[in-house]
Amino acid sequence: MRKFFGTDGIRGLTNQVPMTAEVAMRVGMAAGAHFLRGTHKHRVVIGKDTRLSGYMLENALVAGFTSVGMDVVQVGPMPTPAVAMLTRSMRADLGVMISASHNPYADNGIKLFGPDGYKLSDADEAQIEQRLTQEPRLADPTLIGRAKRIEDARGRYIHAVKLSLPESVRLDGLKIVLDCANGAAYNSAPTVFWELGADVVAVGVTPNGVNINDRCGSTAPGLLQETVVASGADIGIALDGDADRLIIVDEKGAIIDGDQIMGLIGASWARQGLLKGGGVVATVMSNLGLERFLESEGLRLERTKVGDRYVLERMKSGGFNVGGEQSGHMILSDHATTGDGTLAGLQVLAELVRSAKPASELLHQFDPVPQLLKNVRFAGGKPLENGDVQAAIAEGEAALNGRGRLVIRASGTEPVIRVMAEGDDAGQVERVVDMICDAVRVAAAN
């Protein structure tokens, strides 16, 4: 059982373990020591979102990395995919993003990227975790690292993202509402869309350290929906705090999730001869309707366990170039090594321009199958190993056999059991979910 790393790096409430300055410094020491390979001068790129605690954690990480002999390049508030891209382009040994993504401002996290710009493997994280429990090997006083801020990092990322849009596509005349969640892309994302010709109405672009994801962004799309309808925009795009995922709102204010976006991009790229792997990679949480739609297009849906890192691993092993999650992580590996909400938004806009259809028509690729997800919080123990819970799960699977799916899993970031079912009969789906949730609650209480 790993103590620090969850499904997406290290995350928690600031000033409580593991999100303390002391732990962050030790992470810098451990990760730095792990990537000290060879005799070249070693370098790490550090970016962050707009949380107040970012200053504290950044300085602690800088202290840790420099103490083991790594030079540090600080790029300030930047989207997670920008840090991945800069890590690779600067030929750094390691990249670090300080962010808790869509969580409230009081939380924070540390995501690590390897020299190839990809998130670290489970094996690398396990080795770093082991080093966290050991005394660090500090550098000789003559070999302590240096820290330097670079000012043009944002411009480099903006340029790279714009290159993903074909030159034949122009966004002139397109009115877009862009919600940046008062987060990492508050400056870069509006610039990208504006420079490509769009009429941009930007919201969530006034970060103050404590308003990230606060009633805005991809997890709270109400502001985006209202602004799209009120301004008569063609489409709305909401990013999360670190801008590695997006949610779309059509011109009528309806929310479009990641499954519809994957269906759109996957089918369109297939028609253009751009899709690799013969399908799309998604997680077990993606709707059965997406799977059926892709099959109707002669494509397949490959499923992984929850977490964009597992989606990416399957993409790499199977030669796929489109993958993502229902929550809005979109990985387009021809252009990026991790999820990128801005980049995925550009691909959606390209389809909007090519089709000349309203967003409400273009983005309705399929009718989702009724799906229900409920969370059951527990104080301790392993409720999923309880015999009555396992019997309830077996009964639910039998009831849905051939007409739906059942996914039960423990959260990787909090003490929660997630129970999801889907099927053509909405009433049956609800009965199955409630039955299993009741069994989990009883088991958790005993």
Side-chain angles (χ1 to χ4, degrees):
M1 181 69 178
R2 296 195 296 182
K3 179 180 177 183
F4 295 101
F5 285 93
T7 54
D8 196 14
I10 304 170
R11 190 178 298 184
L13 185 63
T14 306
N15 273 349
Q16 293 186 15
V17 174
M19 271 303 107
T20 64
E22 179 184 3
V23 171
M25 184 172 70
R26 292 188 69 88
V27 168
M29 292 174 171
H34 181 67
F35 280 92
L36 285 174
R37 303 166 182 174
T39 57
H40 65 279
K41 189 60 180 174
H42 293 80
R43 177 185 293 169
V44 56
V45 174
I46 299 181
K48 60 182 180 179
D49 65 21
T50 57
R51 291 164 211 270
L52 184 63
S53 56
Y55 296 99
M56 176 186 79
L57 295 172
E58 181 183 27
N59 286 324
L61 282 162
V62 169
F65 281 116
T66 53
S67 73
V68 296
M70 266 203 167
D71 285 348
V72 178
V73 176
Q74 296 164 269
V75 298
M78 293 282 283
T80 289
V83 173
M85 182 271 289
L86 290 165
T87 299
R88 189 168 56 168
S89 71
M90 290 183 176
R91 301 184 182 183
D93 301 274
L94 183 64
V96 181
M97 179 64 182
I98 304 167
S99 174
S101 189
H102 57 279
N103 287 25
Y105 86 92
D107 291 344
N108 217 328
I110 299 171
K111 300 181 187 182
L112 302 176
F113 294 91
D116 56 1
Y118 290 100
K119 289 181 180 178
L120 296 191
S121 66
D122 286 338
D124 275 323
E125 286 187 350
Q127 290 181 47
I128 292 170
E129 177 119 358
Q130 187 177 4
R131 287 178 181 270
L132 285 169
T133 63
Q134 302 168 351
E135 275 301 307
R137 187 180 301 171
L138 301 180
D140 182 89
T142 61
L143 299 175
I144 290 172
R146 300 174 183 269
K148 178 182 180 180
R149 289 192 179 274
I150 59 171
E151 303 302 327
D152 65 340
R154 186 180 294 131
R156 298 187 198 187
Y157 170 67
I158 289 169
H159 177 68
V161 170
K162 286 165 56 181
L163 288 178
S164 70
L165 192 71
E167 288 190 11
S168 60
V169 177
R170 296 188 61 86
L171 304 184
D172 300 64
L174 211 56
K175 189 170 187 178
I176 304 166
V177 177
L178 183 62
D179 181 352
C180 297
N182 291 315
Y186 76 95
N187 184 292
S188 61
T191 302
V192 166
F193 294 113
W194 177 81
E195 289 189 1
L196 289 168
D199 178 6
V200 180
V201 179
V203 297
V205 290
T206 54
N208 61 13
V210 299
N211 62 358
I212 187 171
N213 302 315
D214 184 14
R215 291 168 292 177
C216 59
S218 63
T219 51
L223 173 64
L224 180 66
Q225 291 173 287
E226 293 171 11
T227 310
V228 166
V229 174
S231 63
D234 297 295
I235 195 169
I237 299 172
L239 306 173
D240 67 337
D242 67 335
D244 66 349
R245 70 182 190 180
L246 82 164
I247 290 294
I248 302 286
V249 166
D250 68 23
E251 82 282 2
K252 298 178 181 178
I255 297 172
I256 312 297
D257 68 11
D259 284 346
Q260 297 283 359
I261 299 169
M262 277 187 281
L264 172 69
I265 295 175
S268 171
W269 282 23
R271 287 190 290 269
Q272 297 175 62
L274 300 174
L275 190 69
K276 299 172 185 173
V280 170
V281 181
T283 76
V284 292
M285 303 304 286
S286 276
N287 195 276
L288 188 58
L290 172 61
E291 189 170 344
R292 292 173 177 173
F293 166 73
L294 290 172
E295 286 174 355
S296 73
E297 296 282 322
L299 305 171
R300 71 182 190 273
L301 180 67
E302 292 266 335
R303 293 186 184 271
T304 72
K305 56 184 178 179
V306 173
D308 61 323
R309 62 186 300 160
Y310 302 114
V311 172
L312 186 55
E313 283 175 9
R314 181 67 190 110
M315 290 173 67
K316 290 169 72 175
S317 66
F320 297 88
N321 62 345
V322 175
E325 294 188 284
Q326 188 182 60
S327 60
H329 281 116
M330 294 294 125
I331 304 174
L332 307 175
S333 58
D334 288 353
H335 306 291
T337 56
T338 189
D340 190 328
T342 307
L343 194 151
L346 282 181
Q347 299 304 313
V348 171
L349 294 181
E351 293 305 313
L352 196 63
V353 170
R354 290 191 191 104
S355 71
K357 295 177 180 177
S360 56
E361 182 180 343
L362 175 72
L363 290 163
H364 187 83
Q365 295 287 301
F366 60 89
D367 292 323
V369 170
Q371 185 183 78
L372 181 63
L373 169 66
K374 290 190 176 182
N375 297 324
V376 182
R377 191 167 290 274
F378 63 100
K382 298 179 179 180
L384 292 183
E385 296 180 5
N386 178 274
D388 291 338
V389 172
Q390 291 177 351
I393 292 171
E395 184 180 340
E397 287 176 336
L400 293 170
N401 184 35
R403 299 184 302 276
R405 292 190 313 122
L406 183 60
V407 179
I408 294 99
R409 66 182 187 91
S411 167
T413 56
E414 53 185 335
V416 164
I417 302 296
R418 306 196 193 282
V419 181
M420 188 276 279
E422 61 181 0
D424 294 318
D425 183 340
Q428 182 186 52
V429 165
E430 186 170 8
R431 288 191 296 273
V432 166
V433 169
D434 287 343
M435 173 187 67
I436 296 171
C437 286
D438 288 345
V440 172
R441 288 190 192 97
V442 172
N446 294 332

